[in-house]
Structure formats: structure tokens, C-alpha cells
Amino acid sequence: VRRIAIVEDNPDNRLLALALLEGLYECTEYESGIDALQGLERELPDLVLLDISLPGMDGVETLQHIRAHPALSHLPVIALTAHAMTGDREKYISAGFNDYVTKPIVDESILLGAIVRGLEGVGSR
Amino acid sequence: MPTVHPSSNEATTAAYRDATPPPEMHDALALVQRIGGRELLDKVVSLFRASAEERLVKLRVFIDAGDATQVSRLAHAMKGSAAQVGAESLRAIAAALEKEAGQLDQGALIERLDGFTEEVRLAMAQLESYRGTAGGQA
């Protein structure tokens, strides 16, 4: 079973993501970027879903740490964001994310498709 | 007026304004039921209620403390939770508070909190209404 780390501070959003994914993947939840960075080293996942608007260390900064870490830098990371502005996709892809999915989840196939592509190494980058 | 079964702490004007779930809520909760049936619907509604109640308390604390950053942060969280359950009017008022919290004085923030609280109660009533309808039974 492939392992997915879900980094999301909002418990309501985390519940739905976990419910969607737990039958398909082995999921680990993190509430902050700091928690995630510590946990990812101990329990290396196959893919990371990373909320952009995390308190403290935000998603972009967390990603920078992931990309700078020798053991984590290869991980496919999908940005989860409520921002849906024109140009956001390009912004996050150029920041180093492999893909970008907007919240709330309205069509589960979009998130599931991004995860499958990420695990296969076929991101939007 | 649709049938609503609010608990006593929900019995505000807003809860009775119009507890008909908006189309966005039907869409959002249909997704929830598709993923996890009635059990997940119950969990989502219960967690929404608990999270929202906690945020209302914290909002008042941070408004009193003059901490606009935390007020904005809590409004952002509420926006995300509201969007997930399709509580559209709450999502909109939370988005506005998130954006404008830093520009409002304490008095204005307290006024906003009143309207915000009313929208939270309304969203809860709409969620309960949905759960009580045929659409809420997987």
C-alpha cells in the first residue's frame, strides 16, 4: 500500500481527505509544517498533500524545506489551496510543487487523479 | 418554513431565518455521502459544529485582545470549513472577515462577530435540516 502524508491544519478538511483516501492508501496526518517535517523523516511517505495556508510555517516554506532535505527532496508534493486565482497553478508549480488541487474537494476524481499522477511521477511540472 | 430541529443553543433568529440548505450544501454533502455514507455525514456535521463553536469562542478572545492576525486566521479556518459543507453565506462572511480583520477597530470587529455568529448558527441549522431530509439519508 502506498503511503500518503496529509498536511492540513483544518480538522474539518482533514476528516474528508482522510475519509476519501484511507481505503486506498496508508495515510498519516500532520497539523503543521513543522510537525510534517519531523514526521516525514521518521515515516517516509510516497507522496505529500500539503496545504498552502498553514499557520506559522506555510505550505510554500514547508515545501522549500522538503526540497532542501536530501531524504525528502524527491517526494511528489501536491499543493492544496483554497486560492483559485488565475496564475496560481503556475505560481505553485514554479515554487516546486508537482501539482495543485483546489479546496474544497468538489469532485474526488480530481484529487485522486492528481495523486495517481504524482505517484507515477507524472505531475503537472 | 422547513422543519428544523435546532438544539436550544441554536435557537437564534438566524437559525429560523431560512434553514433550507443552499444548493452548494446539497452538492457538498452529496460528495460526503458518496465517500462515506451516513456515518461520514454525521461525523462531518458533528466536527463542523465542534470546530465552529470553538472558533467562535476564540474569535471573541482574540478580538478582545486586539489580535487581528489571529482573528483573520480563525476566519480563514471557518471559511475552509464552511466551503467544505457548502455553507455559502458563512463562507462569504468568513472570507470578508479574513480579508478585512486588520482594517477594523475592535468595535467593528465585535459587530462583525455578531453577524458571524448568526451565520454559524444558520449553517448549523441548514446542516441539521439536510440530515433530516431524504437527501441526508444514505
Side-chain angles (χ1 to χ4, degrees):
Chain A
V1 179
R2 311 298 291 273
R3 287 171 297 180
I4 294 184
I6 303 168
V7 191
E8 165 66 75
D9 66 310
N10 188 327
D12 295 321
N13 296 156
R14 226 169 37 235
L15 171 65
L16 193 63
L18 192 64
L20 176 60
L21 300 176
E22 65 186 351
L24 303 167
Y25 303 101
E26 191 179 307
C27 298
T28 307
E29 303 170 75
Y30 299 103
E31 292 182 28
S32 72
I34 298 277
D35 286 349
L37 289 172
Q38 291 169 349
L40 293 176
E41 283 187 62
R42 287 195 305 268
E43 222 176 306
L44 191 68
D46 296 297
L47 181 142
V48 181
L49 296 178
L50 179 54
D51 181 30
I52 291 291
S53 298
L54 294 168
M57 183 190 292
D58 69 14
V60 172
E61 192 183 347
T62 303
L63 178 76
Q64 288 167 351
H65 285 279
I66 290 173
R67 292 295 179 235
H69 193 297
L72 306 177
S73 61
H74 68 285
L75 287 173
V77 183
I78 298 173
L80 296 176
T81 177
H83 309 142
M85 309 288 283
T86 307
D88 268 3
R89 172 173 288 277
E90 292 70 23
K91 184 172 88 178
Y92 292 121
I93 297 299
S94 67
F97 287 95
N98 295 75
D99 209 339
Y100 162 100
V101 173
T102 54
K103 297 189 294 182
I105 302 166
V106 289
D107 178 352
E108 63 269 44
S109 67
I110 294 174
L111 177 60
L112 293 173
I115 289 171
V116 168
R117 286 194 304 276
L119 289 171
E120 290 172 352
V122 193
S124 294
R125 297 175 77 182
Chain B
M1 170 143 322
T3 305
V4 191
H5 306 285
S7 59
S8 58
N9 65 349
E10 285 179 293
T12 66
T13 307
Y16 292 102
R17 193 173 79 211
D18 184 0
T20 306
E24 294 87 352
M25 188 172 282
H26 280 279
D27 292 345
L29 298 182
L31 169 73
V32 168
Q33 287 187 284
R34 202 158 63 237
I35 293 171
R38 178 72 193 208
E39 190 182 338
L40 182 60
L41 176 67
D42 287 342
K43 278 187 192 171
V44 164
V45 172
S46 297
L47 185 58
F48 176 88
R49 176 189 297 279
S51 301
E53 294 284 9
E54 185 183 333
R55 287 175 190 140
L56 286 177
V57 172
K58 286 184 176 172
L59 267 174
R60 183 63 205 226
V61 169
F62 287 125
I63 288 172
D64 288 347
D67 190 339
T69 303
Q70 288 300 330
V71 170
S72 180
R73 179 91 231 141
L74 283 164
H76 171 81
M78 201 66 248
K79 180 183 76 175
S81 298
Q84 184 177 273
V85 297
E88 181 51 31
S89 57
L90 176 59
R91 187 208 59 76
I93 202 171
L97 182 60
E98 178 190 8
K99 196 174 168 186
E100 296 159 16
Q103 299 146 30
L104 300 171
D105 63 24
Q106 199 171 46
L109 282 172
I110 288 170
E111 264 181 46
R112 286 289 187 97
L113 182 60
D114 290 342
F116 195 88
T117 303
E118 198 167 302
E119 287 298 337
V120 168
R121 302 285 180 233
L122 176 61
M124 287 177 180
Q126 290 169 336
L127 287 168
E128 291 302 339
S129 176
Y130 181 92
R131 277 210 294 192
T133 65
Q137 290 162 11

